[in-house]
Amino acid sequence: MENYGDLIQKQRSFFTSGKTRDVLFRMEVLTKLRTVIKKHEQELMDALKADLNKSEFDAYLTEIGILLEEIRFTMKHLKKWAKPRKVKSSLAQVGSKSYIYPEPYGVALIIAPWNYPFQLAIAPLIGAIAAGNCAILKPSELTPQTSALLSKMISSHFPEEYISVVEGNAETSTALLNEKVDYIFFTGSVPVGKIIMEAASKNLTPVTLELGGKSPCIVHEDANLKLAAKRIAWGKYINAGQTCVAPDYLYVHSRVKEEFLKELKLAIHELYGENPIESGHFTRIVSEKHFSRLAKFLINGTITHGGRHEISSLSIEPTVLGNITWNDEVMQDEIFGPILPVLEYDDLSKMIGEVTARPKPLALYIFTESEDVQNEILSSISFGGGCINDTVYHLSSPYLPFGGVGESGIGAYHGKGSFDVFSHEKSILKQTTRFDLPFRYPTTKDALKKLRFFIK
Ligand code: NAD
């Protein structure tokens, strides 16, 4: 197993030099990162095509454009975020002033998955840079072209003692985790998230865990069915369902189920055409192992739409499964593919009970015109975040911190959230030397009485 102690030591020395504490330096680095991404745009699209058959439109929307916007937003606000913030002082602290100083942790380790292999490595990196950290990126081994390009882009524009990419598999991750770093930001599956947290606990290293799970999508009887169908088809099948916040399964009110499924078929057809596999634009499944796992689900329930799959191109077309129950295999774990099982419900609270009996989802989507239904679901189900009358879109707002809760993750990022994740908030009380309040000292006359006057 490789030893990454030297690399981490180099980064720690660079961090200790204080260079990354300079906010202007961070701004320059973000500007450079933006230029580097733009310069390699076509190469990135080609790599994503080779690794996952991503279309150029999807690559720009979900891997490149989203990062350019994140950099723009971060640069616009960074000077303000990085400044010490003055906060109130309580009466008992009269004479003093209170401040919060955001400070970088030091060396951050970012471990990324394969589904959005560029975005999910660089989005945390933007936060790490903005907050003044050094960073080591470990991209996924399952998207080798993108990971190699990422490594080339970083190594040819940034010194390794500041930002470095280490390519490799689980063994490489393990070797990195054997070293002490100052922060670990992990995006990936729940089982590996547990391994990361265990490794982090050895050094009490703080972690952010961006994980996954089964995200429900609820279609109530009063929903705008046509619009719901289109927005669900988009959110589910983009990237062939290999999206952490994709609707994992549908819960449709029985009164509108048939009509909704008709609309869903039309929407899938409108967005992906007659034969998505032959179109050449539909994202493929990342590996044969993942393909075989997904293909097994096609015998669950009945196929109400799609179902064609082709091992030679690792493609599965947008598929809808009817007659599904919670006992089916497809309902046991996160699907992470273009297969959408449909459950139905009559009773809202019973349906809510089924969802809350399971791990807290990363995302949840509600399609309804009724504010009462929206409020009932929002107040009774805990989940990372989501949308009302849409899917996936919440993820792209820099104003909405993105992350899970319970088994779907710990911590949240994007926008200021990313700066905060990679910053320790150092609380400082600046005391006056003009006077010294006596009541804090037990030797003062009537100390307790005076103390009670200030602290009631
Ligand atoms: P994964 O957990 O298998 O791998 C993620 C990373 O961890 C990879 O870099 C991999 O090399 C590394 N890794 C794998 N096994 C390891 C081990 N034993 N020890 C240390 N490191 C190890 O996840 P994946 O298959 O790449 O991604 C899919 C999962 O990620 C899904 O569950 C999905 O929901 C989740 N995900 C979550 C988000 C989010 O933002 N919450 C985003 C994308 C994907």
Side-chain angles (χ1 to χ4, degrees):
M1 205 181 271
E2 283 269 353
N3 183 323
Y4 295 103
D6 286 351
L7 173 63
I8 290 162
Q9 197 43 52
K10 270 190 206 165
Q11 290 218 344
R12 191 152 283 130
S13 304
F14 186 77
F15 178 73
T16 312
S17 77
K19 209 163 171 177
T20 66
R21 290 186 179 259
D22 176 358
V23 175
L24 287 178
F25 170 78
R26 302 181 203 173
M27 295 283 275
E28 277 166 25
V29 175
L30 288 171
T31 307
K32 190 165 168 188
L33 183 62
R34 181 172 55 196
T35 312
V36 173
I37 294 174
K38 286 190 161 179
K39 189 173 141 198
H40 292 85
E41 190 178 302
Q42 191 56 49
E43 270 180 273
L44 269 168
M45 286 177 166
D46 295 345
L48 290 162
K49 181 87 185 159
D51 282 334
L52 288 159
N53 195 39
K54 266 191 208 203
S55 69
E56 293 200 347
F57 177 83
D58 282 0
Y60 195 84
L61 179 72
T62 64
E63 304 252 18
I64 299 170
I66 193 168
L67 292 173
L68 296 176
E69 180 53 23
E70 185 77 7
I71 294 174
R72 189 198 63 77
F73 185 86
T74 305
M75 290 184 67
K76 188 168 165 207
H77 299 282
L78 181 55
K79 283 190 186 147
K80 197 171 98 208
W81 296 342
K83 269 197 192 134
R85 288 196 314 276
K86 189 162 189 269
V87 293
K88 286 186 179 170
S89 294
S90 65
L91 188 61
Q93 278 126 19
V94 68
S96 69
K97 290 177 183 155
S98 302
Y99 298 88
I100 294 171
Y101 285 69
E103 66 170 19
Y105 283 102
V107 178
L109 172 61
I110 297 169
I111 302 177
W114 52 264
N115 59 331
Y116 293 92
F118 190 65
Q119 191 227 122
L120 295 173
I122 299 291
L125 178 67
I126 294 168
I129 293 169
N133 297 272
C134 297
I136 296 172
L137 305 180
K138 208 302 276 171
S140 173
E141 68 281 17
L142 294 180
T143 42
Q145 303 277 338
T146 312
S147 297
L149 178 60
L150 176 70
S151 174
K152 185 184 96 176
M153 285 165 71
I154 295 294
S155 65
S156 51
H157 294 94
F158 303 96
E160 69 162 358
E161 60 270 28
Y162 177 34
I163 307 171
S164 167
V165 176
V166 175
E167 286 184 81
N169 55 16
E171 200 181 304
T172 309
S173 259
T174 308
L176 284 163
L177 291 166
N178 281 341
E179 304 294 332
K180 182 175 162 34
V181 292
D182 303 296
Y183 202 89
I184 300 174
F185 189 104
F186 171 78
T187 308
S189 61
V190 175
V192 179
K194 291 178 184 173
I195 294 172
I196 303 290
M197 193 151 170
E198 199 180 335
S201 73
K202 295 205 179 85
N203 291 310
L204 290 179
T205 307
V207 290
T208 294
L209 300 177
E210 294 283 342
L211 310 177
K214 286 186 95 60
S215 299
C217 179
I218 300 159
V219 182
H220 198 56
E221 55 181 321
D222 64 345
N224 178 334
L225 297 183
K226 203 174 177 58
L227 206 52
K230 192 165 182 184
R231 290 177 179 169
I232 291 168
W234 177 80
K236 174 69 188 186
Y237 300 114
I238 192 167
N239 213 34
Q242 301 169 115
T243 303
C244 54
V245 287
D248 185 90
Y249 62 93
L250 288 184
Y251 240 136
V252 187
H253 195 282
S254 58
R255 219 169 280 153
V256 293
K257 197 184 92 183
E258 290 313 317
E259 196 189 337
F260 173 75
L261 289 179
K262 271 188 213 144
E263 292 292 350
L264 186 60
K265 276 183 185 200
L266 291 173
I268 294 172
H269 196 264
E270 184 190 335
L271 292 178
Y272 303 100
E274 183 61 43
N275 192 334
I277 296 182
E278 273 177 18
S279 76
H281 309 304
F282 195 64
T283 303
R284 71 167 167 83
I285 307 306
V286 68
S287 76
E288 211 170 302
K289 190 174 133 211
H290 291 72
F291 178 91
S292 311
R293 184 183 65 84
L294 289 165
K296 280 199 208 130
F297 297 146
L298 296 171
I299 54 163
N300 285 188
T302 47
I303 293 175
T304 59
H305 184 83
R308 278 179 289 192
H309 54 293
E310 188 181 87
I311 188 141
S312 59
S313 61
L314 297 181
S315 306
I316 301 176
E317 69 178 352
T319 297
V320 181
L321 296 180
N323 293 322
I324 290 294
T325 70
W326 278 108
N327 297 325
D328 286 307
E329 213 189 329
V330 73
M331 294 308 292
Q332 305 315 309
D333 287 311
E334 181 183 17
I335 299 168
F336 223 56
I339 298 171
L340 183 59
V342 184
L343 300 171
E344 63 178 74
Y345 71 95
D346 293 307
D347 183 77
L348 193 65
S349 32
K350 233 168 118 185
M351 181 272 288
I352 289 173
E354 291 285 358
V355 176
T356 51
R358 293 173 166 83
K360 295 179 180 178
L362 178 60
L364 185 142
Y365 308 109
I366 312 164
F367 286 83
T368 175
E369 296 298 313
S370 156
E371 278 201 25
D372 286 347
V373 173
Q374 294 168 11
N375 290 336
E376 187 170 346
I377 293 172
L378 291 184
S379 60
S380 41
I381 307 179
S382 176
F383 54 95
C387 307
I388 293 167
N389 291 319
D390 209 339
T391 64
V392 178
Y393 237 58
H394 62 298
L395 179 137
S396 62
S397 168
Y399 298 101
L400 293 174
F402 170 72
V405 58
E407 279 194 30
S408 56
I410 296 175
Y413 76 130
H414 289 176
K416 181 162 188 294
S418 298
F419 177 86
D420 291 342
V421 151
F422 287 100
S423 301
H424 163 63
E425 294 203 324
K426 192 154 76 182
S427 294
I428 296 297
L429 181 137
K430 280 193 191 172
Q431 186 60 280
T432 182
T433 49
R434 282 185 290 117
F435 56 86
D436 189 24
L437 283 181
F439 66 83
R440 68 198 274 183
Y441 304 110
T443 45
T444 307
K445 187 165 177 282
D446 292 332
L448 183 59
K449 206 168 143 199
K450 284 175 181 147
L451 193 61
R452 284 202 168 113
F453 174 77
F454 281 101
I455 310 168
K456 293 192 171 81

